[in-house]
Every structure is written in structure tokens, then in C-alpha cells.
Amino acid sequence: ERRVPGAACAERRAPGASRALGGAGRTAPGAMPPKQKPSPAAGGHSVGAEVPMETATSSWARGLPSPQDVDMSDPTAMLRCRQCAEYQKLCQELRLRENIAVLGKLAPPSAKDDDRMSSKFSNTSRRSSIAEVMSMCPNDRPHDYDFTSLYLGDKQLRPLAAALAVDRQLVCLRLPGVGMFDNGMVAVCTILKRSPQLEVLDVSGNRFSTLGARACVSLAEASLKLREVVAKDTALDPDFAFKRGLPTTVTAARLALEAILAPRKAAAAAAGVAEDDRGACAGTTAKAA
């Protein structure tokens, strides 16, 4: 029996359809493979799951001293361990590469000497980088944090701010020139509302606009001890706003922020003068005695 050229064959199947080829699970060429279940994140923890503190802080491959090398009787060391755990956990959840400079700033002080602590690190270049950053971070003011000119970007600011918020006694945070835009400014200001002792915030040299400025105003309203926001070369700088022709919404946010902070700054200055006067009187009394 001759068939008409071009007639459809009864055995012809739709393109991409799967058929058995001698065993289960095999598909025809061009067929879509079955969907695979998502694999857990690195370290064996799924995204969103809580990472144990010992897993986050004892990872020598990440360039941090192990808990055995840290003096846990030191409150600052315990605080730094908790901050490192929070930072690493959020970086893992957000699938971000950990920043060496941030790890150096948050690394807990070791109870052992620097050479023995450095020998625990797995990577020589990473060891030297973190050790260099740690050497520039004196521990005389443990509640002041300075990330000047470390380019972090909006994505890194979210886990960093969450780690800093672990410190309930945070007093000063400096983030000048860290590549912060609106999303990063909103994240930082929202998380810093958990820091009731915050007094100084430096966001100079960052390129946020209306959303970031409004977030800063909201932070000033929530943080009653915040008395100074350093915002040179930003949307909150009147000269910068005038040169760039920024909208009036930015000006309104700047004026609202100034109205909130001006009385606090004046009260802090008056308190400082009064304290100096008391110190001078005490010195005079001591000399007379």
C-alpha cells in the first residue's frame, strides 16, 4: 500500500513529548527534563533557616578566630561573636559573598596572640587582609563603628545593619562613601530604630534621594537620643540639593530633620558646658583643700 507523500503518520508524536526508551525516567531527544528540587544553600542550611551560632563563628575558612581562641568572659568579645553570627547568617540567606572588610571590623578580639590566631586561618591572603583591618580597629570604643570609604553597596548594608543592631548600646555609626542609595538608606534607618542609644549617624557622600531622606527623618523621630546626622555631599546637604536641583520633597525632609535634631543638639551642648563647669569647680575645690 502506497501512502500519499506528506500524510501524517499514525505513530508520529508531538515534538518534545516523552516516551519510554527501554527504561523508566528516559525521555525522547528534545523533551523537557523533570523538575529537580532546589538544593539547600551552602553549609547545609536552606535559605531562611536559622544558622547555629557555632557554625557561623567557628568557620576558620572564613577568616575568623574560633570560639576557643576568644575570651568569652569579655563582653565585647561575646558581642562581636553574636554580630559575626548575624552577619554571616544573613549573607547566607541572601546569597551574598561575605565582605572581608566587614569581617575584619566585626571580628572578636582573640585571647591568644596574633600569630597563633592567624595560624587558624586557612587562606593566607584572606588572613593578612582581615588582620590588617582588625589592626586598624582599636577596641577602646566598642560601641562606635566606622566604615569610612568601604564600598559596600545596598545589598551588603542590610546584613551589616542587622549585625550592628545586635549591639543595643550602639552610639555612633559612620557610613561615609559606602555606596548607599535609597534602598540601603531605608534598610539602615529601619534597622537602626532598634538601637535606643544611637547619638551620631554619618552618611556623607552617599547618593540617596527622597526615600532615603524620609527614612532618616523617621529614624530621628524614633531614636530619641539621636542628636547629629552628618550628611555632607548628600541630598540632605542644602548646597548639594541646590546644585543638583533636587525636588522640594528632599528640602522638606531636610527641614523636618533639622527641626527634630536642633533642640537635641542644643541640649547636648548645654549639658556639656554644665559638665565642664562642674569639673572646673571640682578642680578649684581640690586645689583650695
Side-chain angles (χ1 to χ4, degrees):
E1 297 179 357
R2 299 183 61 185
R3 297 187 180 184
V4 180
C9 181
E11 293 84 8
R12 182 174 299 176
R13 295 172 179 264
S18 62
R19 59 181 177 180
L21 295 177
R26 299 182 62 183
T27 58
M32 296 294 294
K35 293 184 177 180
Q36 300 291 336
K37 293 183 179 181
S39 58
H45 301 281
S46 60
V47 176
E50 183 177 357
V51 181
M53 180 176 175
E54 58 271 13
T55 302
T57 56
S58 63
S59 180
W60 293 344
R62 298 181 182 182
L64 293 175
S66 66
Q68 291 76 16
D69 295 339
V70 177
D71 182 11
M72 287 302 178
S73 62
D74 183 5
T76 301
M78 295 183 63
L79 172 64
R80 293 292 183 264
C81 284
R82 293 176 57 199
Q83 288 177 320
C84 286
E86 184 70 15
Y87 174 74
Q88 292 179 338
K89 183 187 75 172
L90 286 180
C91 283
Q92 189 177 37
E93 291 179 355
L94 298 173
R95 297 186 181 274
L96 296 176
R97 184 183 298 274
E98 296 168 2
N99 190 292
I100 293 179
V102 172
L103 287 176
K105 295 281 188 179
L106 299 180
S110 175
K112 300 183 179 181
D113 57 272
D114 293 339
D115 293 337
R116 295 188 63 184
M117 181 183 71
S118 299
S119 66
K120 296 294 185 181
F121 297 149
S122 63
N123 183 281
T124 304
S125 61
R126 189 179 182 85
R127 176 178 69 243
S128 60
S129 299
I130 294 183
E132 181 180 356
V133 175
M134 290 177 65
S135 65
M136 297 186 297
C137 305
N139 198 33
D140 54 343
R141 305 185 69 179
H143 303 296
D144 292 4
Y145 300 85
D146 189 355
F147 298 89
T148 301
S149 299
L150 294 180
Y151 188 86
L152 302 175
D154 286 349
K155 292 183 178 180
Q156 281 286 338
L157 285 170
R158 181 180 174 187
L160 173 60
L164 295 177
V166 173
D167 184 2
R168 300 288 293 177
Q169 304 299 321
L170 188 151
V171 175
C172 176
L173 175 58
R174 302 190 182 278
L175 296 170
V178 297
M180 181 165 56
F181 296 86
D182 275 334
N183 291 337
M185 186 68 171
V186 171
V188 168
C189 291
T190 301
I191 296 176
L192 286 182
K193 292 179 181 180
R194 309 174 191 172
S195 302
Q197 304 298 324
L198 180 65
E199 296 182 4
V200 179
L201 175 64
D202 187 353
V203 293
S204 301
N206 293 292
R207 293 295 175 262
F208 55 87
S209 60
T210 303
L211 292 179
R214 288 176 175 173
C216 191
V217 174
S218 178
L219 172 63
E221 293 174 345
S223 301
L224 301 181
K225 290 192 175 183
L226 181 63
R227 56 181 172 78
E228 184 177 3
V229 175
V230 184
K232 185 178 180 181
D233 195 29
T234 67
L236 293 173
D237 183 356
D239 294 334
F240 179 87
F242 178 76
K243 292 178 181 178
R244 296 296 181 93
L246 298 182
T248 56
T249 52
V250 175
T251 303
R254 175 176 58 82
L255 295 177
L257 181 63
E258 291 176 353
I260 295 173
L261 298 182
R264 300 177 185 177
K265 187 179 296 187
V273 171
E275 186 175 354
D276 293 341
D277 292 342
R278 286 194 298 269
C281 291
T284 304
T285 304
K287 287 181 180 180

